[in-house]
Every structure is written in structure tokens, then in C-alpha cells.
Amino acid sequence: MKLAIVTAYPPSKVTLNEYAYHLVKQFRQKQEVTELILLTDKTEGEKDLEFTKAGCKITVKECWSFNSYKNIISVTRAINQTKPDSVLFNLQFMKFGDKKVAAALGLMLPLVCRLKKIPNVVLLHNILEEVDLGSAGFTSNKFMQKIYGFIGATLTKLILRADTVAVTMQKYVAILEAKYGAKNVKLIPHGTFEIPQEPDYNLPKGPLQIMTFGKFGTYKKVEGMIEAVEMVRKSTGLDLEVVIAGTDNPNVPGYLEGVKAQYKHVPQVRFTGYVEEEDVPVIFNESAVVVFPYTSTTGSSGVLHQAGSYGKAVVMPDLGDLALLVQDEGYRGEFFEPTNVESLALAIENLVTNEAHRLTIAKANYKAATAHPMSQIAEMYIETFKQIIDRKRVVNPLIDNKTQEAIL
């Protein structure tokens, strides 16, 4: 199969680029995939294709830009030029831009593939029905939220014109089927990027590192975490370091610089900036606890899967999709009330003062993470493409045999 993936890709800073990297890493090793065509956003640096294991040919075509109105034309042209057998879209609603028209035009691409009779799957990481628009940085205006809701419903209907829409949580399947009458939605779990050998769960000497990872400023805010750690220091006397790993959310430029200035009087608060792929294991392995200082959620958490793969205990808000992941996939953590600093401090204290409890949660999370490695997720997508071709064969027995053979 000659598989095209429409996605952001490292060194891109557009959302979901890291997820694409790990998908590509697995797809290229699958026997069914003869060539990968990456239809990516334009970046200044070269794409990260330095893989250690042998795999299929990878062709990169940088054919779209964030917030460009021409993406639907340029990506369609790239598809025409490369002639893939199948196309996978790695999407969320603001993938092609944070301007409404640019975002909407990009999200029409699965429909274009459907009209061109190219088997296609959309991996949809979030649905607007489950996004708190105010907390996520879209708008707090009630009237505008209704407008966004209407736009979101319209875009969802467009996305559902794909052959198959894959979502990462069973709740999303239920919502799309109930609200839109969708018959082409299936659950494919988020998956875990890397599955290292089971760690020994020992921590490095020095201060216990309380780490958070992501893009901050909208629904991920770190002020409460810094204040909570200060409280734990005072109540326990423990040597604790706050590690804030990541960058500003694009919607809130300058957020972390503002936090640095506000809390410059607080000792042992470290801002790492953007974390390169090869440095991710170090950040996680050195951490005692991984904190999710979220006020809402926008989908299945890649950071939770990463924390699990490195055998880390986590502190999570008791809300939305994170709570569902614990229920559905077996992750465990200490929970706190969102926006409640005292509750967050107590959750952190429960882990840093009770080694046996921390280890129990860490081991449970490693077990949950290993249940869905990315190699398995890639296999599920290949199987999904095969099912699409089988359906098309039933509908149109005269479908090109050469295409059938290429995919199957």
C-alpha cells in the first residue's frame, strides 16, 4: 500500500506533529506499506526522518501552511501528483489554522478524497462537543460559543464524509453516532508512543521533580501547580523542584514569560522550553510525579500515555476525558478538584510522602500504557483501510484491480 498521511510533522510546532512522528515510525515497518507519502506543513528545518530500524521508502511533500486559504488546493494537487492508494488525515479542528475559513477549508480535504474515490480515514483527536471553548482559549462569550457550536457541527458533518472517522475514546463514538447519525465512526485508541523496558522506578538523587508537560496558557495553567508545590514544601519540608516542560499555547503568546516574572521569587522552578524528541525520555525519567494542571480537556491525553510508558505516577483533575481514560484504559492517579490549589497540593503530597503509593500508581500506569503500543495502533489503521476496500468492492465490483492489489 502506498499510504499518504496529511499531517503536521517535526520540526513543525503545529499541533499533533509528535503523534505523526510516532505513527510514521511504526507504519514504515509494516509489511503492507510499500511507501509513505507525508503531506506536511512547510517548515524551515528538514523533516525528522532519522529512524534506526529499516523501513519502507518515505516521500515528503511540504504542501500546506497554517492559516493558508490555499491548503485545500495545494494538498489536493499533491495527492494528484503522488497518487497514493490510501490517505490518512491526522486531525483536530484547528489543524489547518485558527482562522475559521482557513480551518474549514482544510477540513474539507477528506470529502475531496471521498469524491476522488481514494480510500481515506480521518483520525479525529477531539470533538467540539467535548471542548470547553472558554477554557481552551477559543472564546468565553456565550453568543460566540453558540456560533462556534454551529460552525463545529457543520465541520463535523464535513469530516464525517470521510470513509471512516477514527476517534480515540468510546465516548466520542457514542456522541457522533447519537448526534449526527454517523455509521462510519470507530474507536482506535490513542496508543503509547514508546514502550521502554519496564523501569526500575528509582528516582535520581537530588530534589524530587514535580513535572508538567505541554503547551500552556489556555486550559493548561501552571500558576496553581507552582503554588501547590510551595504548600507541599512548607507542610513536609521535602526538597521539591517544579519542572515546566514545554512552550506557550499559540493562542497565548508570552504566557510562560509572564509566569516566570510573577514567580521569580519562588526557588527551584525550571522552565525547559520546547523539548526535542530525543530529550523527552530524560524529562520523564527524572520526574517523581507528572502533574496535569488542566481546567478542562480537549481529547485523549498523549502526555498521560507518555507518563505511563515511563512508569510515572500522575496527578490529574477529576474531570472529562482524563477521568474516562482512567476508567477505560486502566490508568491510575491522584485526583484533585480543578482550579483548587489546596486540593492539588494534597494530591501531590499524597504521592511524594508515600513511596509505596507512588510505586503502585507508577506500575499500574506502565501496565496500562503497554496495552496499546503504537505498533498495534498502526496495525489497526491498516486493517481499517482493508475494510474500506472490501466495502468499496461490494459497492463497485469493477473497482480497479491494480488498486485493490496495491492496498491488500
Side-chain angles (χ1 to χ4, degrees):
M1 171 168 55
K2 191 176 178 182
L3 175 63
I5 305 178
V6 180
T7 186
Y9 194 86
S12 171
K13 300 300 186 288
V14 175
T15 183
L16 302 179
N17 70 83
E18 295 97 341
Y19 193 90
Y21 172 86
H22 290 282
L23 263 185
V24 167
K25 186 175 182 179
Q26 298 303 324
F27 272 131
R28 62 187 292 276
Q29 296 179 54
K30 298 298 179 183
Q31 186 176 359
E32 297 92 337
V33 180
T34 56
E35 181 181 357
L36 280 173
I37 302 164
L38 304 186
L39 304 179
T40 73
D41 55 333
K42 298 173 183 176
T43 56
E44 292 183 5
E46 293 185 5
K47 294 296 189 282
D48 184 358
L49 301 175
E50 295 298 320
F51 300 108
T52 56
K53 295 183 179 179
C56 72
K57 175 184 177 183
I58 299 179
T59 300
V60 177
K61 285 192 76 70
E62 295 186 334
C63 56
W64 61 273
S65 301
F66 195 72
N67 272 334
S68 171
Y69 296 116
K70 298 179 181 179
N71 288 336
I72 187 170
I73 297 171
S74 58
V75 175
T76 300
R77 184 183 299 124
I79 290 172
N80 291 338
Q81 292 170 348
T82 56
K83 295 180 170 53
D85 298 313
S86 305
V87 180
L88 174 64
F89 293 88
N90 180 34
L91 297 183
Q92 52 101 319
F93 281 91
M94 298 292 110
K95 182 57 173 279
F96 294 102
D98 52 18
K99 296 178 181 176
K100 301 178 187 65
V101 175
L105 288 172
L107 294 177
M108 292 178 69
L109 283 163
L111 174 59
V112 171
C113 284
R114 182 76 176 266
L115 294 173
K116 292 171 70 65
K117 295 182 170 36
I118 303 173
N120 63 95
V121 174
V122 170
L123 163 54
L124 187 60
H125 288 261
N126 61 8
I127 60 175
L128 283 187
E129 285 79 6
E130 290 297 293
V131 175
D132 183 326
L133 295 174
S135 297
F138 289 94
T139 179
S140 297
N141 182 284
K142 296 298 182 183
F143 176 74
M144 286 304 298
Q145 287 184 4
K146 291 183 179 180
I147 297 295
Y148 269 103
F150 173 77
I151 295 171
T154 303
L155 294 178
T156 300
K157 290 176 183 177
L158 276 177
I159 291 171
L160 287 170
R161 296 298 300 275
D163 288 318
T164 296
V165 175
V167 291
T168 57
M169 301 187 70
Q170 185 60 44
K171 182 180 181 181
Y172 295 175
V173 177
I175 290 172
L176 293 175
E177 289 180 344
K179 181 174 180 178
Y180 300 95
K183 305 295 184 185
N184 60 335
V185 181
K186 71 182 296 184
L187 171 66
I188 296 182
H190 179 285
T192 303
F193 292 163
E194 301 285 354
I195 306 292
Q197 289 187 340
E198 185 168 6
D200 60 15
Y201 303 102
N202 292 325
L203 300 176
K205 293 181 180 180
L208 295 176
Q209 295 183 18
I210 313 301
M211 190 269 283
T212 186
F213 189 97
K215 292 182 172 65
F216 302 99
T218 52
Y219 65 95
K220 300 179 183 181
K221 294 182 180 292
V222 298
E223 293 95 334
M225 176 179 162
I226 296 172
E227 293 169 11
V229 170
E230 279 194 288
M231 294 174 66
V232 178
R233 285 173 180 159
K234 290 178 182 177
S235 64
T236 66
L238 289 172
D239 186 12
L240 305 177
E241 180 184 20
V242 177
V243 180
I244 299 169
T247 59
D248 295 329
N249 183 290
N251 291 327
V252 196
Y255 166 74
L256 289 178
E257 284 299 322
V259 172
K260 282 183 188 179
Q262 182 179 352
Y263 292 94
K264 62 183 179 181
H265 62 284
V266 179
Q268 290 183 280
V269 178
R270 176 159 58 95
F271 296 81
T272 71
Y274 179 76
V275 182
E276 298 292 344
E277 192 66 40
E278 62 269 21
D279 297 326
V280 169
V282 177
I283 288 289
F284 278 94
N285 283 327
E286 292 182 348
S287 301
V289 175
V290 179
V291 178
F292 294 75
Y294 300 176
T295 56
S296 68
T297 59
T298 62
S300 182
S301 172
V303 179
L304 176 58
H305 291 83
Q306 285 179 294
S309 72
Y310 294 106
K312 293 299 166 181
V314 300
V315 172
M316 299 183 287
D318 190 8
L319 54 74
D321 299 331
L322 287 176
L324 280 175
L325 274 175
V326 170
Q327 175 182 321
D328 293 345
E329 297 187 18
Y331 287 92
R332 291 184 57 185
E334 278 287 326
F335 287 94
F336 68 95
E337 298 174 20
T339 73
N340 186 322
V341 176
E342 290 80 9
S343 176
L344 175 54
L346 179 60
I348 294 172
E349 184 172 330
N350 287 342
L351 290 176
V352 296
T353 60
N354 188 332
E355 180 72 359
H357 183 47
R358 181 186 70 82
L359 288 174
T360 297
I361 291 179
K363 291 177 180 179
N365 287 345
Y366 181 80
K367 181 179 179 181
T370 57
H372 296 293
M374 288 301 286
S375 58
Q376 181 189 83
I377 303 306
E379 197 66 50
M380 294 174 75
Y381 281 106
I382 291 171
E383 186 60 33
T384 301
F385 280 115
K386 290 180 180 179
Q387 293 168 0
I388 293 170
I389 296 307
D390 286 342
R391 292 200 303 265
K392 289 181 180 292
R393 184 190 294 124
V394 172
V395 173
N396 182 8
L398 299 179
I399 189 170
D400 182 9
N401 288 331
K402 190 172 182 181
T403 300
Q404 293 277 0
E405 293 169 1
I407 296 172
L408 299 174

